[in-house]
Amino acid sequence: MPILPPATDPEPLRSDKADAVINRRSLVAGLTGAVASGPVWAGVAQSTNGSPLANKVEPSGPSGDLHRAIQKAAGSGRYVPGIGASYWAHPQDGLYLQPGVYDAGDIPITGNTSPFPALSLWAIPGSVVIRIPDDNYLFQTSERLNRVFVSGVTFVGGKGVLQHLFSGLNVNGRFVFERCVFDNYTECAIGNNAQDQPYLEVRGCTFMAAEKSSAIGISWGGYADGSIIEGNAFLRNRYHLKIGPNPSGSIHVLRNDFLFWDKTTPRGAAIWLVPEITPGQFGSNSGWGTMICGNKFGSENMQPDDVRILVAREGPGDTRQTRAPNVRFDTGGGDGAFLSGITIENSRISCSGDVRSPFIRSWISEVRNLTYINNCHDGGRHLYLCEFMGARKIDYANANWTVRLENADSLLGSSPFLQGISNAAIGPQSDPSATQAIAEETILPGTGGDDTSFHLLASADRPEAFKTFGEGVSLTPVADHAGHNRAVEVVPVRQGGGLADTLRTARAGHQGWLAVDLKRASTKSADAVEVRIFNYAAGIIARRLRYVLPAEWRRVRIPFTLPAAADSQAWQYVIVPVDPTENHAFQAARLYVYHGREPQADGHVSTLGDGKWNGAHLVLGTTHLWEENGALYLKATGAPAHATDGTQLG
């Protein structure tokens, strides 16, 4: 293969030298056919008759610059009868770059319509640098593309490398970037704008935006099925990876490093998930099968408000590469946004101390079926796993997350989150190491469906939600254990006043819990409080415990089982100080009362049914025991055929 050396002492890049490669750059164009598995620089592609097909590019000829050579190759696709109807099966010229420094920018990928234009560009990793002028993308095209393959090139400067502006359907071949370095760009390294464009593959690349820019590393959406982002180092971007809108599903984000290289560059999130926004879809194409696995979310230069994953719609703007998040909360419904079926697992989440931010911040209500399992937290804790930025409807569709918590810093019982799993209902969780101590407050169920976990009876997770007991009780918002004014200081005028609320949907025989954070008041604090589960109509106390108030926040959990009472809607919880002096104040936060959906026996063997012959009754082998009109009947030879089909016992 003929080669020509590049300039040994390249001139500095200037905006007026975007194509200044004549006389000091060399490249060889070789027809490679459909590139499927990587660069083939070990030899020259052969034609069907065995002769070389390489074209010598003269440094002073009409095709002697990088700009024209790429344009020529992009439009070189040829339809060959008999080798298949798909566009990506047909041959296409590709460019192998000799080592050196090249200058180029604003190269349109244009040419063929059948097959569509494509791009194949490769170099030995680390041997080629392409400098892009300010305010230019290297490749910017509005045409439908067949495929893109770029390998081994270092790109420096400009707005980015690829901005694909085509907005229609682009379901063709794969768009592959591997072993590349994207450095000092100001807008977006790799981005598309298609309605439907699957099969992006980015592997082994490094992304380092310009300092103090608001750049995005990768912005790819529009039914991005089958896309793979694997083994990359995302070092400096406002958003390292933006997926969506309308992500569709089966997108794999694997084994990447998401770091923050400095403190001066604006940061929004490591990953920005833009949901499905097609009206009336109710979750179709909203992310199912997307895996975020084996990644490192680093603590380098971490700030207290840093969020790792952002869920938000796009705001206004001309392209996906320039739109910012929409921070108006989306409540869902027929015209709402949906994100479903995302799995986050086996990742390392590092913090430089405890932070005020959640791991996930969601500006949409409808985040469904998220799975969070086997993730390691070290160095500090986020506030929540997910914080919803508005009121979220509690129903079966929303309360169906699957969460498995691991110990923070490998310390048994150490919670990975400061304030809890979420500030809204999310669904069942597994906490085998008791990291939350009282994790059940996050297992708040819906009101129907086949959810058989827990039923919420009362809650107070912000100052305005707490209700008082007695006359003249004042509530003052104070900081909770995470530093947020979501707790209250309770100051009764006289002994006997405190907090209370009615448990109107409580049912007898169900195992329940009251969970609350307690702390001494700032002044005139009581020494202890009494917590009661009390039926004010029947005068029955289901549980009564006294707790000494600690100097710092402490989470307590009180189990109880409600006995039968004359008025099942008269149950209430009461928290009052027990100090006999004038010091009656205390602080409380994160109060939840709930019980199981199924009844539980309390002191006796019982059934879940009515004990009748044709209902749930006691069965021991073939012997049946049931009750009828106050009498017990026993039949040792099988199930009874009627109410008195057995021996009466009394």
Side-chain angles (χ1 to χ4, degrees), residues 15-76:
S15 60
D16 60 346
K17 300 189 66 72
D19 297 324
V21 291
I22 300 177
N23 294 322
R24 56 192 193 88
R25 305 288 179 261
S26 70
L27 49 91
V28 177
L31 184 62
T32 64
V35 178
S37 59
V40 289
W41 54 69
V44 180
Q46 300 292 311
S47 68
T48 53
N49 61 10
S51 61
L53 292 176
N55 297 316
K56 179 180 179 181
V57 180
E58 297 292 344
S60 59
S63 299
D65 65 286
L66 184 61
H67 186 121
R68 294 183 182 181
I70 288 176
Q71 278 194 289
K72 181 179 178 181
S76 66

Side-chain angles (χ1 to χ4, degrees), residues 370-591:
L370 187 142
T371 299
Y372 187 86
I373 57 175
N374 299 335
N375 296 289
C376 173
H377 295 255
D378 63 62
R381 296 170 294 176
H382 281 280
L383 186 66
Y384 293 110
L385 167 59
C386 182
E387 182 178 25
F388 291 89
M389 304 307 292
R392 188 169 189 251
K393 184 171 66 172
I394 302 176
D395 59 15
Y396 176 70
N398 275 325
N400 57 9
W401 290 27
T402 300
V403 176
R404 176 187 167 98
L405 296 176
E406 306 299 329
N407 292 302
D409 290 313
S410 299
L411 298 177
L412 184 62
S414 177
S415 170
F417 301 106
L418 279 169
Q419 192 157 324
I421 309 305
S422 179
N423 63 337
I426 61 168
Q429 71 181 52
S430 171
D431 188 14
S433 299
T435 67
Q436 288 292 103
I438 292 296
E440 286 87 355
E441 78 270 13
T442 64
I443 316 179
L444 305 183
T447 56
D450 56 359
D451 185 348
T452 60
S453 52
F454 295 92
H455 178 70
L456 181 65
L457 303 176
S459 67
D461 57 1
R462 50 183 51 87
E464 61 270 21
F466 285 90
K467 297 181 180 180
T468 61
F469 174 78
E471 296 182 0
V473 179
S474 65
L475 301 179
T476 303
V478 294
D480 60 16
H481 69 292
H484 299 274
N485 284 343
R486 295 191 175 185
V488 291
E489 183 157 287
V490 185
V491 183
V493 173
R494 60 182 60 88
Q495 189 176 4
L499 298 176
D501 197 5
T502 302
L503 314 178
R504 296 192 180 279
T505 57
R507 299 176 62 186
H510 293 241
Q511 179 68 54
W513 293 265
L514 182 148
V516 64
D517 291 354
L518 293 173
K519 180 186 174 184
R520 293 180 64 87
S522 56
T523 59
K524 295 186 177 182
S525 178
D527 290 332
V529 293
E530 182 179 277
V531 182
R532 297 194 299 264
I533 305 296
F534 177 67
N535 190 292
Y536 58 82
I540 299 173
I541 296 178
R543 196 67 192 269
R544 184 176 188 174
L545 291 173
R546 182 179 185 272
Y547 282 94
V548 176
L549 291 170
E552 300 297 333
W553 286 109
R554 181 183 299 165
R555 191 74 169 153
V556 298
R557 175 175 60 181
I558 302 171
F560 61 88
T561 301
L562 298 178
D567 186 350
S568 62
Q569 296 189 11
W571 287 107
Q572 63 179 184
Y573 74 82
V574 178
I575 304 176
V576 295
V578 296
D579 198 298
T581 69
E582 64 178 7
N583 299 323
H584 308 313
F586 64 95
Q587 293 185 8
R590 293 195 303 162
L591 191 152

